[in-house]
Amino acid sequence: MDRYAVIGHPIAHSKSPQIHAAFARQTAQDISYEAILAPLDGFVATVQAFRAAGGRGMNVTVPFKLEAFALADRHTPRARAAGAVNTLAFGADGILGDNTDGAGLVRDLTVNLGCALQGRRVLLLGAGGAARGAILPLLGERPAVLAIANRTMAKAEELVRAFAADVGETRLSASSFAALAGQSFDVIINATAASLSDDVPPLPPGLYADGALAYDMMYGRGDTAFMAAARTDGAARVADGLGMLVEQAAESFTLWRGIRPDSRAVLAELRRQID
Ligand code: ATR
């Protein structure tokens, strides 16, 4: 039986073991998947011990995604673009680092929510690790506009510079929240950490175009603060990040096992448990 695990600190809350167990059942893959708590100063040693014990791959969560990037011998282009790794695959030729978060977001938006991004106006809120990981996969969908707005504008400008070579036809821009006034968007994605403290980015009113979707990378029971604010401000549809969680897991599973699980059934089951 091939062994996999998610590593983080804290880790007890992680839904990844349940998600991957469901994927394994569906696809008849004979694997185990556990949750491993690493000491804050013991990430590398914990990974090496798991690998030495026969582990084949790991998911990596807070706060170790940058250390996982440093540990990997090789990186996928999307991991390099994100500057962070959430998926490790152990092979004879070393450790491959991937990042499936942005692909999970895009798949949730385009497949689960049926929201095509090509030619649309997309606003990404935040300029931290979560936002950075989303940019290359979002650009791959060829939106007309990808605007990045952040409390600290310099960080949004830095991201625009970093992805200048990847923009294609998309107009990629940076702004403060206040400077968004008067614009409108088809999709607004909250990648700030504001929801963690029940806070919302201070957006000017009227940013949601007709039929627009508000998407929060966070999730929980009921609406997040961002989703509630978006409804009030006229978003036609709102979604939380539970689908992104399941889809990033499906991407990792596909990388490891070469077979894509049916993520929608697993998402529906998780949703039932949360609500
Ligand atoms: P993560 O890995 O979750 O992205 P991070 O790298 O610490 O975490 O980034 C947090 C992001 O949330 C940043 O964009 C941060 O804005 P600043 O760059 O100005 O710090 C944003 N953020 C955190 N709390 C916020 C709040 N209350 N309102 C608006 N933005 C917030």
Side-chain angles (χ1 to χ4, degrees):
M1 180 184 293
D2 291 339
R3 287 179 69 193
Y4 297 88
V6 58
I7 179 170
H9 186 124
I11 201 62
H13 65 283
S14 175
K15 300 189 188 311
S16 293
Q18 182 190 342
I19 294 170
H20 282 276
F23 289 166
R25 272 195 305 276
Q26 270 179 2
T27 57
Q29 296 284 300
D30 188 22
I31 67 163
S32 68
Y33 189 108
E34 59 207 273
I36 297 181
L37 177 73
L40 287 175
D41 61 354
F43 171 72
V44 171
T46 308
V47 172
Q48 301 294 22
F50 183 70
R51 187 182 184 197
R56 298 287 303 274
M58 296 180 107
N59 283 128
V60 181
T61 187
V62 176
F64 298 127
K65 291 184 186 182
L66 299 180
E67 280 185 79
F69 184 90
L71 177 65
D73 302 304
R74 293 179 298 123
H75 301 90
T76 60
R78 60 193 185 184
R80 225 173 292 127
V85 155
N86 81 332
T87 306
L88 297 168
F90 306 135
D93 54 346
I95 301 179
L96 174 68
D98 193 6
N99 191 314
T100 64
D101 287 328
L105 166 70
V106 165
R107 200 172 166 92
D108 193 33
L109 286 170
T110 59
V111 179
N112 297 342
L113 297 167
C115 179
L117 300 175
Q118 185 172 2
R120 311 303 290 281
R121 297 174 55 84
V122 178
L123 172 60
L124 182 63
L125 305 172
R132 187 183 183 104
I135 294 174
L136 193 68
L138 286 172
L139 286 172
E141 297 298 304
R142 299 191 288 147
V145 168
L146 179 58
I148 305 171
N150 195 43
R151 184 172 59 182
T152 312
M153 195 179 149
K155 283 167 68 179
E157 289 171 330
E158 208 177 297
L159 287 180
V160 168
R161 278 195 297 277
F163 287 90
D166 304 304
V167 294
E169 308 269 282
T170 301
R171 190 143 42 84
L172 182 66
S173 63
S175 81
S176 64
F177 294 132
L180 295 168
Q183 302 181 50
S184 71
F185 298 92
D186 303 306
V187 182
I188 301 185
I189 301 162
N190 181 27
T192 72
S195 294
L196 286 177
S197 41
D198 245 359
D199 203 359
V200 287
L203 298 178
L207 295 184
Y208 291 95
D210 280 352
L213 170 70
Y215 189 98
D216 198 345
M217 287 194 186
M218 301 285 162
Y219 63 86
R221 178 179 299 171
D223 283 0
T224 65
F226 173 77
M227 290 160 71
R231 282 186 204 278
T232 303
D233 200 30
R237 291 207 293 162
V238 300
D240 71 7
L242 192 67
M244 176 177 171
L245 174 78
V246 174
E247 294 299 345
Q248 62 77 29
E251 287 284 325
S252 299
F253 189 91
T254 305
L255 174 83
W256 290 326
R257 308 304 300 179
I259 178 168
R260 181 169 280 279
D262 172 13
S263 48
R264 292 185 79 152
V266 177
L267 175 56
E269 175 58 26
L270 267 187
R271 181 67 72 194
R272 268 194 297 278
Q273 290 175 11
I274 283 179
D275 287 344

